[in-house]
Amino acid sequence: LGTPEALALRGKAAIAFVKVAYQHYKQLFNGTRFKALKAAGAHPQRLLWASTGTKNPAYRDTMYVEELIGADTVNTVPDATLDAFRDHGVAQSKLDTGIEEAVLVLGQLRKLGFDFNRVGEQLQQEGLKLFDEAFEKLLKLTE
């Protein structure tokens, strides 16, 4: 996927995917089925954005934190990213903006052969490994 078309989408895929997923989330928890559950006392699950530090130095150091701000979400932010956000971040809900562009980005990725399921599985496995390592480190501190 090193074509000019693919490279033009670098840094946009994750945010586009999250924005579209957030719209699905809102539809689910604002739909008639959940309204009945809510009337019976149910609460919606919040979306968790995990470890949203910016790894690519070419991107703004607060890019993911800023782009993933939205109602009913939780964000686990690395310390360095939180410090950067406190220093120069912009606190503004953005998950409901740029939805049409996000859908276009995902469509372009599909056309390029991007396998969302494979990448999602890989990211999930990597994330679980990192959380497991952090938990093991925490347990060692209590020994």
Side-chain angles (χ1 to χ4, degrees):
L1 290 174
T3 65
E5 294 85 4
L7 292 174
L9 298 172
R10 184 179 280 169
K12 296 180 182 181
I15 293 168
F17 191 83
V18 165
K19 287 184 179 224
V20 171
Y22 185 67
Q23 297 309 304
H24 289 287
Y25 166 84
K26 289 190 342 179
Q27 288 173 354
L28 176 69
F29 287 105
N30 289 313
T32 55
R33 183 173 178 199
F34 189 76
K35 283 182 183 175
L37 293 170
K38 190 174 182 178
H43 297 278
Q45 174 73 39
R46 290 180 180 230
L47 293 173
L48 170 66
W49 315 130
S51 200
T52 55
T54 305
K55 284 107 181 137
N56 187 333
Y59 303 154
R60 182 171 162 82
D61 57 357
T62 57
M63 178 173 89
Y64 293 110
V65 174
E66 290 174 337
E67 292 295 327
L68 301 181
I69 295 173
D72 300 319
T73 65
V74 177
N75 191 332
T76 62
V77 183
D79 291 339
T81 304
L82 183 57
D83 290 342
F85 186 79
R86 285 182 181 139
D87 179 62
H88 54 270
V90 178
Q92 176 182 334
S93 181
K94 289 189 175 182
L95 281 175
D96 283 320
T97 64
I99 305 305
E100 289 179 18
E101 179 184 348
V103 170
L104 289 173
V105 166
L106 297 182
Q108 291 170 316
L109 288 166
R110 277 189 198 90
K111 286 179 185 176
L112 293 170
F114 192 85
D115 185 343
F116 291 106
N117 290 330
R118 183 182 60 77
V119 173
E121 181 66 30
Q122 179 182 344
L123 290 172
Q124 183 177 8
Q125 293 303 318
E126 290 173 5
L128 289 171
K129 181 181 176 203
L130 291 172
F131 278 114
D132 187 47
E133 290 170 358
F135 184 67
E136 289 297 324
K137 188 175 178 181
L138 180 64
L139 288 177
K140 287 180 182 176
L141 291 174
T142 63
E143 292 177 353

